[in-house]
Amino acid sequence: MRKKIIAGNWKMNNTVGQGICLAKEINLALRVKTPQCTVILCVPHTHISAVEGIIDHDKLFVGGQDCSIYEKGAYTGEVSAEMLFGAGARYVILGHSERRSLCHETADILKTKVGKALMHKLKIIFCVGESLEQREAGKHFSVVEEQLKQSLFHLTDAEFGKIVIAYEPVWAIGTGKTASSAQAQEIHAHIRKTIAAHYGKAIADECSILYGGSMNAGNVKELIAQPDVDGGLIGGAALAANTFLPIVEAY
Ligand code: PEP
């Protein structure tokens, strides 16, 4: 059975103090009601160690939202994969569309980051997804296929086993528009088929594929009921316990 995962992506929100309060509230709720899925909080780099310090490690994991392509050295402002792991992160988001567009992260840059993250024992939540223009042109299948091939398909079978895919249509991120459950299932199945063609059915069947894009308490049940949707990567709704917890509790 592949892992079911609900991951929150806090993006650049919350001070450390606010982040600790939110993480404590979530942790307390999960203590009362054990989650039936893996729950991850992907927090700003500055928050990792503080959040890691207050969570129950059997219920909640901390992740970063990016890592450097560099190992160490004179790279002012950069944070390495080794530093993330050392601070307590066990996951890292790579390839988020905001970083692809705002920070000009190319497939090659992401390939290097994937290597650094794996070298330092981080599991990766790797985001793929098409723009509205690409979907309207019917290119969504080929766009995600290329994103997978260019940054991930050089990995060995064992390395690929450390990857979680997040399908995030750019047009649904932070817009309140969600892919319909049928649209999500269709492309998740295509992603799994693409993985199977490269790594074989057994590895594809083990790979968790999350949906991201305005997932909330109202639409989560229908989305996760789809056979190839294994959870969610949540942005806006991850910023308050009362909007995040109902998503976790949908499992
Ligand atoms: C995201 O940015 O990863 C995301 C899914 O955001 P939102 O839930 O706000 O659409």
Side-chain angles (χ1 to χ4, degrees):
M1 260 293 273
R2 56 185 172 255
K3 244 187 209 167
K4 305 299 181 193
I5 300 172
I6 297 294
N9 176 10
W10 289 4
K11 310 192 185 189
M12 200 173 73
N13 291 295
N14 289 328
T15 61
V16 175
Q18 290 165 337
I20 291 173
C21 285
L22 175 56
K24 273 189 180 160
E25 206 178 336
I26 292 167
N27 194 61
L28 204 62
L30 301 187
R31 239 181 231 174
V32 175
K33 204 166 173 193
T34 301
Q36 302 303 305
C37 58
T38 299
V39 185
I40 309 166
L41 303 179
C42 295
V43 305
H45 292 156
T46 44
H47 300 35
I48 292 173
S49 130
V51 170
E52 203 273 336
I54 56 100
I55 58 169
D56 294 348
H57 298 104
D58 57 334
K59 298 205 179 65
L60 203 46
F61 296 88
V62 182
Q65 300 170 16
D66 178 42
C67 72
S68 178
I69 56 168
Y70 303 111
E71 187 59 25
K72 67 192 294 186
Y75 302 105
T76 303
E78 289 287 281
V79 176
S80 73
E82 186 178 26
M83 291 169 180
L84 293 188
F85 187 86
R90 293 298 172 260
Y91 288 83
V92 64
I93 297 173
L94 292 177
H96 193 282
S97 63
E98 285 154 14
R99 294 206 61 87
R100 287 182 193 262
S101 63
L102 301 172
C103 307
H104 313 290
E105 293 197 352
T106 62
D108 276 345
I109 289 174
L110 292 171
K111 189 174 175 181
T112 307
K113 291 189 175 196
V114 163
K116 292 292 179 204
L118 291 176
M119 188 190 300
H120 294 290
K121 298 191 262 180
L122 292 167
K123 293 192 180 123
I124 298 166
I125 300 173
F126 189 84
C127 304
V128 297
E130 80 287 354
S131 64
L132 184 59
E133 200 185 4
Q134 288 164 332
R135 176 158 282 260
E136 284 174 349
K139 293 184 180 156
H140 42 298
F141 293 121
S142 59
V143 166
V144 297
E145 240 174 87
E146 279 310 302
Q147 288 170 334
L148 294 170
K149 284 181 186 161
Q150 290 174 0
S151 302
L152 296 179
F153 280 7
H154 62 290
L155 299 175
T156 64
D157 291 5
E159 287 169 338
F160 192 80
K162 308 270 190 276
I163 307 287
V164 171
I165 304 294
Y167 166 66
E168 299 209 306
V170 179
W171 47 271
I173 295 177
T175 58
K177 281 186 201 155
T178 321
S180 68
S181 51
Q183 283 173 322
Q185 170 54 26
E186 183 186 39
I187 196 146
H188 279 230
H190 182 75
I191 290 170
R192 202 175 304 288
K193 203 172 103 199
T194 306
I195 296 169
H198 191 79
Y199 286 103
K201 186 172 181 315
I203 287 179
D205 282 347
E206 277 301 300
C207 181
S208 302
I209 306 176
L210 315 184
Y211 170 79
S214 300
M215 193 185 247
N216 58 40
N219 57 34
V220 58
K221 284 209 173 116
E222 200 184 330
L223 285 160
I224 63 171
Q226 305 308 309
D228 287 293
V229 178
D230 305 309
L233 179 56
I234 324 296
L239 293 176
N242 66 0
T243 48
F244 186 63
L245 288 167
I247 301 176
V248 173
E249 284 160 11
Y251 274 114

